Amino acid sequence: MLTIEGLSVKRGGVQALREVTLHVDEGEIVSLVGANGAGKSTLLYAIAGSLPISSGRIEYQGQALNGMSPERTARLGIGLTPEGRQIFGTLSVLDNLLLGAYVDYAGHWRDLLGNIKRIANDDSVRERLATVYDLFPILEERQSQDGGNLSGGEQQMLAIGRALMSSPRLLLVDELSMGLAPNLARQLLGLLGRMRDLGLTILLVEQDARAALKVAERGYVLETGRIVAEGTASELLNSDRIQKAYLG
Ligand code: ATP
């Protein structure tokens, strides 16, 4: 589904990614782990089209993504749950979710918020909303509340739900567990398996290497912009070197 070869990305004066090569097969959950500043978010932003790449190739379902805008990658089926959730705090939970379906409408109306009722009446949007509420029932209970009034865990659910509203085939998830109590983080990571069963392929980026590898089939370790290890999740979890460096 996703093939990345020799990808290098600069941010400011920093070489954030160096010759990164990895792949994600359809139906897999793949975790990319690494310390603070290793370049994990940079990789997701480069795939989604939010950052220019210096060299290398990103291919999604056989199509080159290099230089494609975020709107086009979203239309092709790439969804992103960004680090820090980035929800719209003064909009209701429902409106946050409906705006996630923007890829279907951005070409028709400039004022998405002004047309939110029309979006809400679309059968396909209602179907997606039902799927999101099935995964995260608390979001349905809180659908009229402002997004900014939700707890951290609920905001993370909202960020995932909003990404699902664009009907992605490949979901890029940045630091799902950040700022969450370990139990809640584990619960949310466990839901990734259910999302995969719904037909999604998932690339997960996490500092919590153990938690991320436990829910994945395969993983990669990123260190100062380079892939330094890769393997099945159990190979990485059982590797002495990885245990010492990342699993404590
Ligand atoms: P974190 O979990 O802390 O976000 P990360 O592994 O996701 O870590 P990135 O955010 O991708 O790492 O950062 C990779 C490198 O790029 C780091 O050296 C970082 O300082 C640098 N960097 C990140 N954002 C910017 C920016 N806006 N301008 C310049 N350099 C940046």
Side-chain angles (χ1 to χ4, degrees):
M1 176 159 273
L2 179 75
T3 308
I4 296 179
E5 272 175 20
L7 180 68
S8 296
V9 175
K10 271 198 170 155
R11 300 189 75 171
V14 177
Q15 188 72 49
L17 292 178
R18 300 156 197 262
E19 300 276 325
V20 167
T21 292
L22 60 79
H23 71 276
V24 181
D25 292 334
E26 184 159 10
E28 273 192 313
I29 300 178
V30 172
S31 288
L32 177 73
V33 301
N36 218 335
K40 304 180 301 298
S41 302
T42 301
L43 181 79
L44 297 192
Y45 287 135
I47 298 167
S50 307
L51 279 178
I53 69 177
S54 319
S55 58
R57 197 166 64 92
I58 307 176
E59 210 174 277
Y60 165 74
Q61 295 191 311
Q63 188 168 353
L65 293 185
N66 300 24
M68 213 179 256
S69 70
E71 189 186 330
R72 283 190 64 202
T73 62
R75 271 184 207 284
L76 286 178
I78 298 179
L80 172 70
T81 301
E83 183 176 329
R85 297 137 202 172
Q86 316 270 352
I87 60 157
F88 302 108
T90 56
L91 296 184
S92 71
V93 167
L94 178 61
D95 286 356
N96 267 278
L97 290 171
L98 293 173
L99 286 179
Y102 77 98
V103 282
D104 292 1
Y105 301 95
H108 304 297
W109 310 311
R110 293 184 75 84
D111 178 12
L112 286 178
L113 210 48
N115 284 287
I116 204 93
K117 289 221 159 53
R118 288 164 77 177
I119 297 179
N121 283 330
D122 184 315
D123 282 347
S124 129
V125 170
R126 283 148 79 115
E127 230 171 77
R128 288 176 231 171
L129 201 56
T131 305
V132 170
Y133 285 161
D134 193 40
L135 278 167
F136 307 113
I138 191 81
L139 295 182
E140 185 166 20
E141 283 171 36
R142 306 263 152 101
Q143 62 179 337
S144 314
Q145 284 185 21
D146 279 359
N149 290 337
L150 299 183
S151 69
E154 291 161 356
Q155 289 190 5
Q156 188 59 274
M157 294 175 202
L158 181 56
I160 299 168
R162 183 182 55 187
L164 295 181
M165 289 298 288
S166 66
S167 288
R169 295 176 53 84
L170 172 66
L171 185 63
L172 310 173
V173 183
D174 199 351
E175 302 285 359
L176 184 73
S177 67
M178 193 171 71
L180 302 183
N183 267 352
L184 183 57
R186 240 172 276 135
Q187 197 186 325
L188 282 185
L189 284 165
L191 279 176
L192 296 181
R194 267 185 75 194
M195 291 184 222
R196 188 251 318 273
D197 295 343
L198 292 172
L200 276 168
T201 300
I202 297 170
L203 177 58
L204 171 70
V205 149
E206 271 283 347
Q207 274 187 49
D208 185 346
R210 188 185 301 278
L213 289 170
K214 277 193 172 159
V215 296
E217 274 85 43
R218 291 189 304 112
Y220 294 87
V221 180
L222 195 63
E223 215 172 84
T224 52
R226 282 185 204 284
I227 300 284
V228 294
E230 64 177 279
T232 64
S234 57
E235 280 166 357
L236 292 175
L237 280 166
N238 292 319
S239 140
D240 279 351
R241 188 173 143 242
I242 303 298
Q243 283 198 4
K244 277 196 195 105
Y246 298 99
L247 304 174

